[in-house]
């Protein structure tokens, strides 16, 4: 088929198959020739006038450290709770993860082997870290407290520099392995307040008679201003944290025996809800029956809720108002509630005036200022897992007329009712850890003894609060975004409520499936439909506490719950019952 180069090809005798092959060959040769003629220009490299950044070797041993307390606030809707759990992947970040990244990036802590720009897994070892409350997913806090040892501007004592121990060789250059932590430095000086509980304080927590602060070597470190010359911790961290997590204050001198967890003697919660709780149905469109509650659909009986809330006050066993955490093997569920009430909160704008119409308000109501905002306000010594949300859930049932206030007393009577009924707990988002109180042990009024220095306090520090990029500026941005969303949603609801026929002209239909079901409010945006309501004490009962603990212990390979308490906690990598008081914790 092929002929010599330069000769004219005669295709007359070629078969169709050979002709197709020849055309395909010529097309491939032409494409290859075209590619060789097109030269690809070299990429243009932009000349940078910036000097390359050389990362300095950070030597933690050159810096002093100090123990401080931080008071922080966060909106919990975007987070998977406060506490980070090792080796557990969560769909949302935790508050602790964000704190960990910010503290490392600011180089306020020096965990061994961690890169400040990418610190990796949360590990508070060597930081003297403690936390007050462990809020669940979606729960917010406006007064959370942590204790942590951080880098300080206070100069190290000159005795430290160049000191060589007897029999030792040369001083090692760079950070020694033992110094790669945030622990107290040798011969260091730092502030502390008197112990909150001297009767329970360990001997090492109390000051010695001779402090040994004489000599010129300590002159520079003793003349240091522990506030004015110190790192502005809140402002620094607020620049690195997400906008919905803010440091509000810091305590330069925590008590000698301070622990954010065990020194806290009062935790305060607020659970927000609206009145009406959900959209009321016009009177002539309601599906009523003999079993319907006396309270109008959508509204709550605030007086009955107050009566029930007051029953929580005092020392009670709350095993029927919590979720049992078998991993802790808790057997003591007694907690003291100092205060419990339903309080009205002033709300300046709402835009939902239609609920004040005669067709929507309960009969006999004279007020025209709905919707209102209320909170269930609760102060207690400590709380069990999901305790507040279980308490609120029962109060909402009372408010809807589905249960009597006496249901609280029935559930608190654990001798008569040792097993918790399987009722649903309230929604998470409206709950806020409002404040954490650290009183002295001899103070009957439980006043906070922590010396908080809030953002903006101190000489020439006002810009940190009200200046550009200050704390209030940051919070305003967060508030305004949500406020605009609220105003737009309220305006839309108001417009739709006034469109079309008047309310009294609307006709009820046959009703879809579920329209006659009981609506049960749980704190969420819409009520749950439950068909025929089953009273709490007639619901299925969960296992008793000792049964739950026993099943957990056997599942973990122990003979019994008692065997787990005796030797199992060490085997599971937890504290033994004798080392850590497992019941004194805020697990809400």
């Amino acid at each position: 088929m092929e002929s010599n180069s330069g000769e004219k090809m005669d295709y007359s005798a070629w078969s169709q198959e050979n002709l197709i092959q020849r055309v395909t060959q010529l097309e491939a040769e032409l494409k290859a020739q075209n590619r060789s003629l097109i030269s690809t220009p070299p990429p243009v490299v932009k000349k940078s006038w910036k000097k390359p950044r050389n990362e300095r070797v950070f030597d933690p041993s050159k810096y002093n450290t100090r123990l401080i307390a931080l008071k922080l606030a966060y909106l919990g809707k975007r987070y998977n709770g406060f506490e980070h759990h090792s080796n557990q992947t969560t769909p949302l970040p935790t508050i602790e993860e964000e704190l960990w990244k910010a503290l490392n990036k600011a180089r306020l802590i020096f965990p061994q082997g961690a890169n400040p720009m990418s610190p990796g897994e949360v590990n508070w070892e060597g930081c003297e870290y403690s936390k007050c409350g462990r809020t669940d997913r979606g729960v917010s806090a406006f007064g959370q407290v942590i204790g942590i040892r951080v880098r300080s501007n206070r100069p190290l004592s000159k005795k430290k520099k160049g000191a060589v121990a007897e029999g030792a060789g040369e001083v090692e250059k760079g950070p020694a392995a033992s110094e790669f932590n945030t622990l107290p430095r040798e011969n260091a000086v730092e502030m502390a307040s008197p112990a909150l509980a001297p009767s329970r304080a360990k001997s090492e927590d109390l000051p010695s008679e001779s402090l040994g602060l004489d000599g010129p070597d300590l002159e520079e470190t003793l003349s240091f201003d522990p506030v004015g010359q110190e790192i502005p911790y809140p402002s620094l961290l607020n620049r690195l944290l997400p906008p919905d997590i803010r440091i509000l204050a810091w305590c330069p001198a925590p008590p000698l025996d301070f622990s954010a967890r065990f020194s806290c003697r009062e935790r305060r919660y607020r659970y927000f809800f609206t009145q009406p709780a959900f959209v009321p149905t016009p009177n002539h469109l309601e599906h009523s029956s003999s079993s319907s509650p006396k309270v109008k659909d959508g509204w709550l009986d605030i007086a009955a809720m107050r009566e029930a809330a007051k029953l929580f006050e005092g020392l009670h066993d709350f095993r029927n108002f919590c979720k049992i955490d078998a991993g802790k093997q808790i057997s003591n569920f007694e907690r003291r509630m100092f205060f419990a009430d339903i309080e009205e909160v002033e709300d300046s704008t709402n835009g939902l005036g239609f609920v004040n119409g005669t067709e929507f308000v309960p009969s006999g109501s004279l007020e025209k200022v709905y919707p209102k905002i209320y909170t269930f306000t609760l102060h207690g010594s400590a709380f069990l897992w999901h305790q507040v949300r279980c308490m609120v859930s029962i109060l909402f049932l009372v408010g809807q007329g589905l249960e009597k206030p006496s249901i609280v007393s029935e559930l608190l009577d654990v001798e008569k009712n040792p097993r918790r009924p399987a009722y649903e707990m309230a929604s998470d988002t409206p709950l806020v850890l409002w404040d954490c109180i650290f009183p002295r042990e001899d103070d009957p009024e439980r006043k906070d003894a922590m010396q908080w220095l809030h953002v903006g306090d101190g000489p020439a520090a006002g810009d940190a609060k009200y200046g550009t990029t200050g704390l209030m500026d940051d919070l305003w941005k967060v508030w305004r975004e949500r406020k605009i969303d609220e105003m737009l949603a309220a305006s839309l609801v108001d417009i739709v409520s006034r469109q079309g026929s008047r309310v009294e002209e609307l006709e009820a239909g046959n009703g879809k499936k579920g329209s006659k079901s009981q609506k049960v409010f749980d704190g969420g945006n819409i009520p749950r439909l439950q068909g025929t309501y089953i009273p709490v004490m007639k619901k299925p009962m969960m296992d008793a506490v000792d049964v739950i603990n026993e099943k957990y212990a056997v599942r973990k390979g122990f003979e019994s719950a008692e065997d787990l308490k005796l030797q199992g906690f060490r085997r599971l990598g937890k504290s033994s019952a004798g080392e850590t008081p497992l019941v004194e914790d805020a697990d809400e």
Side-chain angles (χ1 to χ4, degrees):
M1 291 186 297
E2 298 291 338
S3 61
N4 296 330
S5 178
E7 295 183 2
K8 188 177 180 180
M9 301 291 294
D10 181 12
Y11 297 106
S12 59
W14 286 37
S15 67
Q16 183 180 7
E17 182 180 354
N18 291 336
L19 286 170
I20 293 173
Q21 289 179 356
R22 177 61 174 166
V23 171
T24 304
Q25 177 188 356
L26 292 173
E27 286 181 346
E29 292 176 356
L30 182 61
K31 287 181 180 179
Q33 187 177 10
N34 290 338
R35 281 197 299 266
S36 65
L37 294 175
I38 301 174
S39 59
T40 305
V44 179
V45 179
K46 292 184 178 180
K47 190 173 182 179
S48 175
W49 297 98
K50 293 182 179 180
K51 293 182 179 180
R53 181 178 177 182
N54 296 322
E55 195 71 27
R56 290 188 306 169
V57 177
F58 190 74
D59 186 353
S61 65
K62 294 181 179 179
Y63 295 91
N64 218 327
T65 67
R66 68 187 295 179
L67 179 66
I68 65 171
L70 294 173
K71 178 170 284 193
L72 61 146
Y74 50 85
L75 301 175
K77 195 171 184 178
R78 295 196 312 113
Y79 298 97
N80 210 81
F82 182 83
E83 189 174 50
H84 170 78
H85 296 277
S86 299
N87 303 319
Q88 289 189 19
T89 303
T90 56
L92 296 170
T94 62
I95 303 296
E96 275 191 332
E97 287 176 67
E98 299 296 340
L99 290 172
W100 169 256
K101 289 187 289 186
L103 286 162
N104 274 278
K105 194 170 184 179
R107 295 191 170 179
L108 293 179
I109 57 176
F110 328 120
Q112 186 170 356
N115 181 348
M117 306 307 291
S118 181
E121 187 75 15
V122 176
N123 179 12
W124 300 110
E125 187 177 354
C127 299
E128 297 184 27
Y129 175 77
S130 61
K131 57 200 168 196
C132 184
R134 295 185 289 177
T135 53
D136 287 327
R137 176 176 176 170
V139 178
S140 301
F142 294 170
Q144 174 71 281
V145 173
I146 65 170
I148 190 166
R149 181 166 288 277
V150 293
R151 172 170 61 91
S152 172
N153 276 343
R154 183 188 290 274
L156 287 168
S157 111
K158 291 182 180 179
K159 290 181 181 179
K160 177 69 179 172
K161 299 179 181 178
V164 181
E166 184 178 350
E170 293 182 0
V171 177
E172 183 181 3
K173 295 181 180 180
S178 60
E179 292 285 355
F180 216 108
N181 55 53
T182 325
L183 294 173
R185 303 309 189 216
E186 186 179 350
N187 299 323
V189 177
E190 61 181 290
M191 295 175 62
S193 300
L196 294 174
S199 64
R200 297 194 300 270
K202 300 176 182 177
S203 58
E204 57 266 28
D205 290 334
L206 299 176
S208 59
E209 294 182 4
S210 176
L211 298 178
L213 298 179
D214 298 329
D217 294 332
L218 294 173
E219 183 178 350
E220 187 180 6
T221 188
L222 289 175
S223 62
F224 175 77
D225 183 347
V227 175
Q229 294 178 271
E230 190 53 278
I231 299 170
Y233 298 113
S235 299
L236 176 59
L237 290 171
N238 284 339
R239 287 198 295 267
L240 301 173
L241 287 166
D244 47 7
I245 304 176
R246 295 290 92 174
I247 306 297
L248 305 181
W250 71 294
C251 179
L256 286 167
D257 58 347
F258 178 73
S259 163
R261 178 184 178 188
F262 296 113
S263 299
C264 182
R265 293 302 169 195
E266 182 176 334
R267 294 165 172 91
R268 297 176 177 178
Y269 282 92
R270 288 191 181 185
Y271 193 100
F272 288 80
F273 61 94
T274 60
Q275 170 76 321
F278 53 88
V279 179
T281 306
N283 295 330
H284 68 287
L285 299 181
E286 283 188 305
H287 296 281
S288 60
S289 65
S290 58
S291 60
S292 298
K294 296 179 181 179
V295 181
K296 180 175 171 58
D297 223 16
W299 296 82
L300 299 171
D301 186 341
I302 300 298
M305 292 178 69
R306 283 199 177 106
E307 180 184 345
K310 285 298 176 184
L311 297 174
F312 286 125
E313 293 182 349
L315 182 65
H316 302 287
D317 188 312
F318 285 94
R319 69 183 62 202
N320 290 330
F321 288 95
C322 71
K323 183 176 180 179
I324 305 299
D325 185 359
K328 287 188 175 182
Q329 295 288 297
I330 296 176
S331 57
N332 179 8
F333 293 86
E334 286 192 344
R335 299 292 185 273
R336 184 176 296 279
M337 298 298 112
F338 303 116
F339 177 84
D341 201 359
I342 305 296
E343 299 181 319
E344 184 177 347
V345 178
E346 183 178 348
D347 182 36
S348 56
T349 58
N350 51 66
L352 304 180
F354 79 94
V355 296
N356 294 298
T358 56
E359 282 285 330
F360 293 93
V361 298
S363 58
S365 177
L366 302 177
E367 293 187 271
K368 299 291 182 181
V369 290
Y370 294 107
K372 291 184 176 183
I373 306 294
Y374 287 89
T375 69
F376 169 48
T377 305
L378 185 64
H379 304 171
S381 60
F383 292 86
L384 299 160
W385 195 14
H386 296 322
Q387 180 181 334
V388 179
R389 290 166 63 187
C390 288
M391 296 166 75
V392 174
S393 176
I394 295 299
L395 292 182
F396 284 151
L397 295 177
V398 172
Q400 288 188 263
L402 299 171
E403 299 286 347
K404 295 180 179 179
S406 59
I407 184 65
V408 172
S409 298
E410 290 186 65
L411 291 172
L412 289 175
D413 187 353
V414 296
E415 291 188 3
K416 181 181 177 182
N417 301 299
R419 299 166 63 190
R420 179 196 148 182
Y423 61 85
E424 298 289 335
M425 64 181 176
S427 177
D428 50 17
T429 308
L431 179 59
V432 180
L433 173 58
W434 198 259
D435 207 357
C436 302
I437 309 299
F438 298 83
R440 302 197 184 282
E441 64 178 350
D442 57 351
D443 182 8
E445 297 181 3
R446 302 185 307 280
K447 293 180 181 178
D448 194 4
M450 297 288 285
Q451 301 171 10
W452 293 111
L453 190 66
H454 292 84
V455 173
D457 292 352
D463 286 349
K465 186 171 185 177
Y466 281 102
T468 304
T469 70
L471 176 61
M472 293 300 290
D473 202 24
D474 295 340
L475 294 177
W476 181 273
K477 294 174 186 176
V478 174
W479 169 81
R480 190 182 184 281
E481 178 184 354
R482 288 157 175 78
K483 191 62 180 179
I484 293 298
D485 290 342
E486 177 201 347
M487 290 170 59
L488 293 177
S491 298
L492 180 58
V493 171
D494 190 50
I495 289 172
V496 172
S497 70
R498 291 185 278 108
Q499 289 176 340
S501 303
R502 292 185 300 175
V503 173
E504 56 270 21
E505 296 174 352
L506 299 177
E507 298 180 5
N510 295 328
K512 297 180 180 179
K513 184 179 180 181
S515 62
K516 297 184 180 181
S517 297
Q518 177 62 53
K519 296 178 181 179
V520 178
F521 178 61
D522 63 356
N525 295 328
I526 57 174
R528 290 183 290 106
L529 297 179
Q530 256 196 2
T532 302
Y533 176 72
I534 301 175
V536 169
M537 300 310 296
K538 292 185 179 180
K539 292 180 183 291
M541 295 292 173
M542 303 175 72
D543 287 337
V545 172
D546 53 351
V547 175
I548 295 175
N549 287 341
E550 191 78 12
K551 287 182 177 179
Y552 175 86
V554 173
R555 191 167 66 249
K556 291 295 181 180
F558 297 94
E559 293 183 3
S560 64
E562 191 63 30
D563 181 36
L564 171 58
K565 290 179 181 179
L566 288 175
Q567 55 91 27
F569 279 100
R570 290 189 179 88
R571 203 176 86 189
L572 291 175
K574 301 181 180 181
S575 301
S576 68
E579 293 171 339
T580 303
L582 295 173
V583 299
E584 289 296 329
D585 198 4
D587 277 344
E588 181 54 50

